Amino acid sequence: MHEMILCKLGEVVLKGLNRRSFEMKLMGNIRRRTGRFGKFRVYSKQSTIYVEPAEETCDLAGAYAACKQVFGIIAVARALPCTKEKEAILETAKAYLGDALTAARSFKVESKRADKSFPMTSIQLSQWVGGHLHEAFPHLAVDVHHPELTVYVEVREEAAYVHAPAEPAGGLPIGMGGRAVSLLSGGIDSPVASYMIAKRGVELEMIHFASPPYTSEQAREKVLQLARDLVPWCGRLNVTIIPFAEIQEEIRRNCPEDHFTLIMRRFMMRLADALAKDLNCRALVTGESLGQVASQTMDALAVSGDVTDLPILRPVIGMDKEEIVRIARHIGTFETSILPYEDCCTVFTPRHPKTRPHVEEVREMEQALDVEGLVRRAMDGREVVKLR
């Protein structure tokens, strides 16, 4: 028998009558993510999705890494199947986990008997396998509370499986939570927000605002790299790049300086709203964190959100910077985010931004602008970059 991957289902098992549709979506996502590593059989039994190599040339390590980034799986493990006999289970554990058992100082065996026709209970099987492993690796201490290594044995209908501790994942399958447009800047927060909302099963379309010649080609490439960093988590992404310089220049010419950022944010929301409706998306996603900058006070958020009737999802709204950075490091976007290329938000930053704006006052200021014309020309100049 060949090594394979076990993907344990998370929240999907709680979905009642909708569970099968979630499982089918999840298996489809797994097939797409593992497809570049070879041909795999992907099927579901007993709250587990099995990813089994169909060819000798399959890259199991690559597929395993990909599965750890598929939302909807609570844990992922590489496992070796064997026949449902205690002797076969023991020999498989010794051979498959021999290096890990040699390196560890303490261990335990944890068994799960899904096939109730198996002649031993879960406890009996754990004790029998554990006792014989202790004889084979006498340096190991048995520690049932805090072992350095846990050997897992699962007895299922078709076979028994031996594996080391599974690695955690989580979330819901991409595509089951609807579609949304995520505003992607070059900073730390917006990629984290995109990751977090994708983890809830939302399929994302990305929008970015570029202001050449005020922003450089390196700034554009930085944002596209952030999107590439998100692809392993979020799946295939389209990045719509909107030319924003004309809007910013008009705001600078016609509006009070302390309101520059707020009015820019309102235009970003208008453009994201227009794109969302073009693409049949049901919400907007931003990386706003309450109080982090002047445009993210409660009053400012109300003013910027005034121009759209779509829900605005702000998954990092209550997080401090340290928490956001920790997630950014985990998902691999942090090093790209801190590259020193300015985005359009930092180019026209006012010296003393308004922190307690009033929506009626801002609407009055915008009367000096051709709002519809600016939005239309920006949308006409958009460019779409497809990332796979």
Side-chain angles (χ1 to χ4, degrees):
M1 293 188 179
H2 299 288
E3 188 180 14
M4 61 194 304
I5 301 167
L6 305 182
C7 302
K8 306 301 180 73
L9 300 184
E11 290 182 53
V12 170
V13 301
L14 306 176
K15 294 303 176 181
L17 296 176
N18 293 325
R19 173 174 170 170
R20 188 57 185 168
S21 63
F22 277 80
E23 287 186 6
M24 294 299 291
K25 175 64 75 172
L26 182 52
M27 286 191 287
N29 292 345
I30 291 171
R31 287 189 188 98
R32 275 195 301 276
R33 302 287 185 88
T34 58
R36 60 194 175 104
F37 300 105
K39 187 176 180 181
F40 292 86
R41 289 183 60 229
V42 179
Y43 54 94
S44 175
K45 288 183 182 180
Q46 296 178 304
S47 298
T48 298
I49 291 176
Y50 297 76
V51 183
E52 181 180 351
E55 301 171 336
E56 293 289 339
T57 55
C58 287
D59 177 5
L60 194 74
Y64 176 64
C67 286
K68 289 191 291 181
Q69 295 179 302
V70 176
F71 296 134
I73 301 167
I74 196 169
V76 185
R78 292 174 66 160
L80 188 64
C82 63
T83 58
K84 294 188 291 183
E85 300 168 345
K86 63 181 182 180
E87 293 82 5
I89 293 169
L90 172 62
E91 292 306 313
T92 300
K94 288 161 65 174
Y96 185 54
L97 300 177
D99 290 345
L101 288 162
T102 300
R105 290 170 295 182
S106 61
F107 86 113
K108 75 171 182 177
V109 177
E110 191 168 304
S111 300
K112 181 179 180 181
R113 187 186 61 151
D115 179 2
K116 301 306 180 185
S117 67
F118 188 75
M120 303 174 78
T121 66
S122 297
I123 294 175
Q124 288 171 338
L125 181 59
S126 294
Q127 291 173 337
W128 189 88
V129 173
H132 283 78
L133 286 178
H134 190 244
E135 290 178 8
F137 300 89
H139 71 284
L140 282 172
V142 176
D143 185 344
V144 297
H145 298 295
H146 304 288
E148 194 170 309
L149 174 68
T150 300
V151 175
Y152 289 89
V153 176
E154 299 186 33
V155 181
R156 294 177 171 265
E157 291 178 357
E158 67 287 346
Y161 298 86
V162 175
H163 63 86
E167 296 197 43
L172 291 171
I174 294 285
M176 296 306 295
R179 301 177 71 223
V181 168
S182 185
L183 284 73
L184 183 65
S185 72
I188 297 171
D189 302 345
S190 60
V192 171
S194 299
Y195 159 83
M196 290 179 68
I197 213 68
K199 192 173 182 179
R200 300 310 303 160
V202 177
E203 183 180 350
L204 295 178
E205 295 280 346
M206 315 303 282
I207 187 170
H208 174 68
F209 305 95
S211 297
Y214 304 106
T215 56
S216 64
E217 182 63 27
Q218 292 98 320
R220 168 195 163 97
E221 181 54 36
K222 172 184 174 180
V223 169
L224 292 177
Q225 183 56 49
L226 283 172
R228 292 187 195 101
D229 295 339
L230 288 169
V231 165
W233 302 100
C234 302
R236 296 169 291 188
L237 290 175
N238 295 328
V239 183
T240 299
I241 300 174
I242 304 285
F244 205 61
E246 182 190 4
I247 291 172
Q248 291 179 297
E249 289 168 348
E250 286 297 300
I251 293 170
R252 182 169 60 180
R253 275 195 290 268
N254 294 286
C255 300
E257 183 190 354
D258 61 348
H259 282 74
F260 280 1
T261 301
L262 274 170
I263 297 174
M264 281 193 299
R265 291 294 295 176
R266 283 167 64 87
F267 271 95
M268 289 177 180
M269 290 296 188
R270 287 187 179 100
L271 290 161
D273 178 275
L275 181 64
K277 288 169 181 173
D278 277 356
L279 299 176
N280 197 30
C281 295
R282 306 296 294 276
L284 307 181
V285 181
T286 76
E288 291 159 319
S289 175
L290 188 62
Q292 190 176 111
V293 294
S295 63
Q296 295 176 13
T297 63
M298 281 192 184
D299 296 308
L301 292 174
V303 169
S304 62
D306 169 63
V307 297
T308 178
D309 57 1
L310 292 174
I312 302 173
L313 309 178
R314 299 180 171 103
V316 303
I317 192 71
M319 299 172 66
D320 60 36
K321 202 67 175 184
E322 187 176 320
E323 294 173 291
I324 297 170
V325 166
R326 184 166 62 248
I327 296 172
R329 291 186 187 278
H330 168 66
I331 65 177
T333 58
F334 179 75
E335 295 301 327
T336 304
S337 290
I338 61 174
L339 292 174
Y341 304 120
E342 291 186 317
D343 61 28
C344 68
C345 294
T346 56
V347 174
F348 290 87
T349 302
R351 289 166 293 180
H352 304 289
K354 188 80 169 178
T355 58
R356 293 187 177 180
H358 300 284
V359 67
E360 295 83 4
E361 190 176 30
V362 176
R363 288 174 183 165
E364 187 175 337
M365 292 174 187
E366 288 179 341
Q367 290 179 9
L369 302 169
D370 176 15
V371 173
E372 290 186 8
L374 288 168
V375 170
R376 183 181 64 255
R377 288 191 293 277
M379 290 297 289
D380 288 345
R382 63 184 156 177
E383 174 193 356
V384 180
V385 180
K386 297 183 177 183
L387 302 175
R388 298 292 183 265

